[in-house]
Amino acid sequence: MSKTGSVEERDLVNKLWDAGFAAMRAPASGGATKRPLPDVLAGNGKLYLAIEVKSTRQDHIYIDNEKITNLIEFSKIFGATPYVGAKFIRQPWRFIKLEDLHVTRSNNYRVNTDLAFSKGLDFEEITGGTKQTKLV
Amino acid sequence: MSKTGSVEERDLVNKLWDAGFAAMRAPASGGATKRPLPDVLAGNGKLYLAIEVKSTRQDHIYIDNEKITNLIEFSKIFGATPYVGAKFIRQPWRFIKLEDLHVTRSNNYRVNTDLAFSKGLDFEEITGGTKQTKLV
């Protein structure tokens, strides 16, 4: 796990607690058990969220097929809604539903900023908070 | 965290996966965030379990007041049922509801084997599985 990824995961965990969720990061990878764990797991008694976190200084992220397969498996068993949590530098968090991920030719997944900010959801939308809408 | 505790936690996590739950251990203590995390968190879409794990070679365990306070807080926010998971050496797991813990004079908590095997529940009972009952 990259240092950056770790910082962003902690940031997301803190935001979730502040939003009324109890949230936990998965143990550091390389542990004894090879289970399909999401990076962040959160619940508030109504919503349960399983999030694979990706942060980047570029304008796109790649996610391995295996990570998404694992996220689907964990979420299905646990009873949680799966998202890819994308943190582009100097941008707010975006959360992408798995069906909205772009499938690459090598059968992995890619999310660019356009996708993240069009089909992706913001923090308030996935936590059931009030979405700030611009007055037009 | 003691080595023994860690081994027992992994054992419990494996048992939970085998019983149809998705389960995760909390990150190792001493992390950056000081949140009230249970040792093990598990869900199967219907039941959500937050478990504080204690193992011992003696006939009783002690649990700090703060641990229980944290377990209550996490479970209430997350939406999980809290248990103390007690593993006495060469005995099966027992799970004690927080209201059944013995309060010590110093306002901490104690569970001995008598309590664990009278008021405590077995693995099948907390996971909604079929309890093996002896034919009398």
Side-chain angles (χ1 to χ4, degrees), chain B residues 10-23:
Chain B
R10 271 186 227 124
D11 171 60
L12 180 56
V13 163
N14 287 335
K15 282 175 70 75
L16 286 161
W17 280 96
D18 290 345
F21 282 71

Side-chain angles (χ1 to χ4, degrees), chain A residues 20-22 42-48 78, chain B residues 41-43 46-50 72-82:
Chain A
F21 282 71
N44 72 350
K46 282 182 277 188
L47 295 172
Y48 296 91
F78 191 88
Chain B
L41 179 61
K46 282 183 275 187
L47 295 172
Y48 296 91
L49 310 175
I72 293 169
E73 184 188 353
F74 182 94
S75 302
K76 193 173 171 183
I77 298 174
F78 191 88
T81 306

Side-chain angles (χ1 to χ4, degrees), chain B residues 62-135:
Chain B
Y62 285 104
I63 313 112
D64 290 345
N65 184 288
E66 189 191 4
K67 291 259 186 193
I68 300 301
T69 305
N70 285 349
L71 183 58
I72 293 169
E73 184 188 353
F74 182 94
S75 302
K76 193 173 171 183
I77 298 174
F78 191 88
T81 306
Y83 292 104
V84 168
K87 183 67 182 68
F88 298 97
I89 191 165
R90 286 188 290 273
Q91 297 287 341
W93 282 94
R94 300 299 289 182
F95 300 90
I96 299 95
K97 295 178 189 172
L98 304 192
E99 64 263 34
D100 288 333
L101 298 171
H102 175 78
V103 185
T104 67
R105 277 182 288 180
S106 56
N107 209 30
N108 292 304
Y109 298 90
R110 187 164 63 86
V111 176
N112 61 21
T113 47
D114 282 352
L115 174 58
F117 285 87
S118 59
K119 293 187 177 173
L121 306 171
D122 67 18
F123 182 80
E124 285 70 26
E125 286 173 304
I126 67 158
T127 55
T130 309
K131 181 167 161 49
Q132 302 246 345
T133 47
K134 288 178 192 157
L135 296 172

Side-chain angles (χ1 to χ4, degrees), chain A residues 10 13-14 17-18 20-27 32-33 35-38 41-46 48 73-74 77-80, chain B residues 10 13-14 17-18 20-27 32-33 35-38 41-46 48 73-74 77-80:
Chain A
R10 272 188 226 122
V13 163
N14 286 335
W17 279 96
D18 291 345
F21 282 71
M24 191 192 276
R25 294 175 61 203
T33 55
R35 300 295 187 178
L37 303 178
L41 179 61
N44 72 350
K46 282 182 277 188
Y48 296 91
E73 183 187 354
F74 182 95
I77 299 174
F78 191 88
Chain B
R10 271 186 227 124
V13 163
N14 287 335
W17 280 96
D18 290 345
F21 282 71
M24 189 191 277
R25 295 176 59 204
T33 56
R35 301 294 186 177
L37 303 179
L41 179 61
N44 71 350
K46 282 183 275 187
Y48 296 91
E73 184 188 353
F74 182 94
I77 298 174
F78 191 88

